[in-house]
Amino acid sequence: MLPRPSYPQLAGVERVVVEVPLRGETAVLTDRRLVVGGAAGERSFALGQIAAVQSRFERVVREMVRGGVLVLAALILFVVSGPARTLLLNFGTALEPTVRQEQKHEGGGLASAVRIVQQGLDALAGIAGALPLLGGVLLLAGAALIVLGAIGRTVVTIHAGGAEFELAQRGRRPALEEFAREVGQRLPAPRTAS
C-alpha cells in the first residue's frame, strides 16, 4: 500500500478549487495560489507568479532502451553460459593426465600447481553455470523497464517565478491533465502595454 500523500497547509480563507494526489505529495489549486505539499515540505506559487502551464503524456523511451539493453545482455548470458561452462570443464579435465604424470615423478611441485589451476577452472565453470540465473534476473528487470516505459507518464510543467517544476504520475492520468487545465484557466490575463 502506498503511503497517504501529505496535504499542504492552507489558510482559513482559501477555497480549494481542485486537488490531485501524487506519489507522496498533494497538489492543490486554491482561489489564490498553487500549493504542492509533501514530506519534504511545500512549494507555493501565487497565481500571478505562474507564467505558463504545460501538460503532456509521454512514453519513457529511455526506460524502454535500458530495458532492451538488459534483455539483450540476458540473452547473451543464456547463449554463452553453456559453452563457457563446457569449455572450462574440458580444460580442467585435459589437465588431469598432466597431474597424474607429475605425481608419479619425484617432487610433484608442478602437480600441485596444475591442481590449483584445475580447481580454478572448476570454480570458473561453476560461475559460468550460474550465468543463466543472472540472465533470468536481467531478463525480468529489462522486461519491467520496457513495460514501465511503454506505460508512460503524465507530466505537468509549471513555469513560475523564472523557474519550472514538474508534477508527474505514471500512466495516462486524466485527473492530472484536468488539474493543469484548471490551473491554466485560473491564471490572470496578461497585462497589455499602455
Side-chain angles (χ1 to χ4, degrees):
M1 234 170 128
L2 293 175
R4 186 171 182 201
S6 298
Y7 199 84
Q9 297 293 319
L10 301 177
V13 294
E14 288 182 281
R15 184 179 58 84
V16 174
V17 175
V18 65
E19 63 184 56
V20 63
L22 303 166
R23 215 174 357 160
E25 300 182 311
T26 302
V28 179
L29 175 65
T30 72
D31 54 348
R32 297 175 176 206
R33 63 187 177 133
L34 169 65
V35 187
V36 180
E42 287 187 7
R43 293 171 291 196
S44 176
F45 298 95
L47 292 178
Q49 290 180 316
I50 299 174
V53 179
Q54 296 172 317
S55 175
R56 69 184 181 280
F57 173 76
E58 61 187 26
R59 304 275 183 216
V60 187
V61 176
R62 187 175 9 170
E63 283 184 356
M64 292 190 293
V65 169
R66 286 180 185 160
V69 168
L70 289 178
V71 168
L72 182 63
L75 295 176
I76 290 171
L77 287 178
F78 289 141
V79 169
V80 169
S81 67
R85 186 172 188 276
T86 302
L87 181 68
L88 291 168
L89 288 174
N90 287 342
F91 281 153
T93 304
L95 292 175
E96 192 62 38
T98 305
V99 171
R100 285 190 195 126
Q101 179 93 18
E102 287 298 319
Q103 285 177 340
K104 289 180 184 177
H105 290 48
E106 297 284 329
L110 183 60
S112 62
V114 173
R115 179 67 71 191
I116 290 171
V117 170
Q118 195 176 27
Q119 289 172 348
L121 289 171
D122 287 345
L124 289 175
I127 291 170
L131 289 179
L133 178 63
L134 178 60
V137 170
L138 289 178
L139 183 65
L140 289 175
L145 282 175
I146 290 170
V147 168
L148 290 174
I151 288 172
R153 65 185 193 146
T154 303
V155 180
V156 173
T157 305
I158 310 286
H159 301 273
E164 68 178 48
F165 70 94
E166 291 184 345
L167 307 172
Q169 283 187 318
R170 207 165 278 287
R172 187 172 292 279
R173 301 293 181 183
L176 191 55
E177 292 170 344
E178 179 59 35
F179 181 82
R181 274 192 291 280
E182 193 65 41
V183 171
Q185 290 174 1
R186 299 285 174 164
L187 296 181
R191 294 180 182 164
T192 56
S194 317

